[in-house]
Amino acid sequence: MILSPEGVRVFPEASIETMTNTDNLIRAKGLIASAERVAVLTGAGISAESGVPTFRGKDGLWKNYRAEDLASPEAFRKDPGLVWEWYDWRRSLIAARQPNPGHYALVKLEEQVPAFTLITQNVDGLHDLAGSSHPLKLHGDIWTVRCTRCTYTDINRQTPLPEIPPRCDCGSLLRPDIIWFGEALPEATFREAWQAAESAEVFIVAGTSALVQPAASLPLLAAKKGAKVVEVNLEETPLSPHSDIVLPGPAGDVLPQLLA
Ligand code: APR
């Protein structure tokens, strides 16, 4: 910070600390409006206003288990019934929810931007339901199941499941088609997300704690390649200091305001 001759505080360049929310909104909106290539990374926070609990928020625990204790191959091996009970609970909860204005704003943004990529860590399917054409699902889909032994995989929207843990016709256990902690992300999907991050002019990050890798590295990659990073979140995250613009607030309020 420097002092002007009049003794008034002026800032050598705009920064998150010095700009008001309105200034930031206008600036972010301007960046998006003039960008040819925009990528967006969403996390559980974008579905929070639809009533889907986040993983690390105050409602993130299920029966005192953390997501990390249940979403892993080890947990499934140890107690597939318990893991499926958690997914059955989440599936029933999500089935009753609808997309919110945050999801719909991203559908509109896709229409507005020439090259638009939506990358999501969410498995709830609400981006599809809102009408996003091709969300890159880094962590899979809660509505798809696959056999742990044979090649069977299918969409399954039954809630609640009649049998827990559910089994395949071959007799083996079915599992949710979700990427668990310690498992590799779908290669082609992650490559597409990586390329979008590398080429984006603006990278929007909405409703993620930015703690889970490799998703959390995408905005940093985008920034390194020259993109402006815009973060929308209720709270500060490890990504906030690396973002060009931080827009504090609920995604369902903020994202619609970024549209042209
Ligand atoms: N608007 C914007 N942000 C919100 C809102 C909201 N209405 N509600 C909550 N948030 C923010 C929280 O402040 C938090 O930073 O959303 C974030 C949610 O963080 P997490 O629960 O950690 O969810 P996410 O980042 O998606 O988790 C990543 O971890 O458990 C795994 O595979 C799971 O995909 C998930 C991954």
Side-chain angles (χ1 to χ4, degrees), residues 49-186:
E49 288 154 80
S50 294
V52 181
T54 60
F55 294 97
R56 292 171 187 82
K58 59 176 170 36
D59 305 321
L61 290 181
W62 175 78
K63 294 189 180 177
N64 281 332
Y65 292 97
R66 298 173 312 138
E68 286 83 348
D69 301 331
L70 296 164
S72 76
E74 295 75 31
F76 190 69
R77 261 196 303 275
K78 195 170 145 208
D79 195 343
L82 177 75
V83 172
W84 261 117
E85 221 188 299
W86 182 52
Y87 280 107
D88 195 43
W89 171 76
R90 287 179 58 205
R91 284 162 56 102
S92 299
L93 196 147
I94 295 164
R97 307 297 184 221
Q98 293 299 319
N100 66 61
H103 296 103
Y104 289 117
L106 296 181
V107 179
K108 294 220 177 78
L109 201 58
E110 180 175 349
E111 291 162 8
Q112 185 185 309
V113 176
F116 178 86
T117 307
L118 175 58
I119 307 159
T120 188
Q121 298 168 92
N122 298 349
V123 297
D124 56 28
L126 291 181
H127 283 304
D128 306 84
L129 204 56
S132 287
S133 69
H134 178 50
L136 297 175
K137 296 176 190 171
L138 296 183
H139 296 168
D141 189 328
I142 205 166
W143 301 113
T144 308
V145 296
R146 64 181 162 90
C147 182
T148 51
R149 192 175 68 186
C150 74
T151 54
Y152 173 82
T153 174
D154 204 0
I155 292 169
N156 175 319
R157 293 196 158 264
Q158 234 181 338
T159 55
L161 288 163
E163 179 196 13
I164 287 186
R167 288 190 178 269
C168 180
D169 286 346
C170 81
S172 296
L173 285 172
L174 288 171
R175 60 166 279 179
D177 193 19
I178 283 180
I179 316 305
W180 285 332
F181 287 100
E183 295 185 319
L185 265 55

